[in-house]
Amino acid sequence: VMVFSVDIEWIAEDKAYLATSKDIIGLVVGAETLPEMMESLTKLVPILLEENHGIHLGEDDSHELKLSTNLPAGVLLGNVTAA
């Protein structure tokens, strides 16, 4: 299993969330809400992994997306809970 970390932080002055990743080249996503963020990540991460890393996320692959955030523990991010 390969794990890719995505950092999500709340930017108070912009009133928006920002997602970046040291593991996924080119990932920079902004969104006003967490559901919007998760929708964007769900669409963008597989594209970036394939284009920039040569990794295709097929149904039988065992890749995992790990989220690390500065959000309070227990905040729901789609079907993932912040740790």
Side-chain angles (χ1 to χ4, degrees), residues 5 24 27 50 58 80:
S5 293
I24 304 170
L27 181 65
E50 187 164 353
V80 178

Side-chain angles (χ1 to χ4, degrees), residues 9 16 27 31 36 71-72:
E9 62 181 304
L27 181 65
E36 288 173 1
L71 302 173

Side-chain angles (χ1 to χ4, degrees), residues 7-79:
D7 297 309
I8 300 174
E9 62 181 304
W10 173 250
I11 309 296
E13 56 271 10
D14 295 332
K15 296 182 180 175
Y17 294 94
L18 176 67
T20 58
S21 177
K22 294 177 184 173
D23 297 336
I24 304 170
I25 297 169
L27 181 65
V28 179
V29 176
E32 292 182 1
T33 68
L34 288 172
E36 288 173 1
M37 174 63 69
M38 293 310 296
E39 182 178 340
S40 295
L41 289 174
T42 300
K43 292 176 182 176
L44 187 58
V45 166
I47 294 168
L48 290 174
L49 287 175
E50 187 164 353
E51 290 182 1
N52 297 336
H53 299 272
I55 297 170
H56 177 71
L57 297 178
E59 292 178 10
D60 58 349
D61 285 336
S62 57
H63 295 88
E64 179 182 330
L65 182 62
K66 174 186 167 190
L67 298 178
S68 59
T69 82
N70 69 350
L71 302 173
V75 171
L76 290 177
L77 305 172
N79 60 357

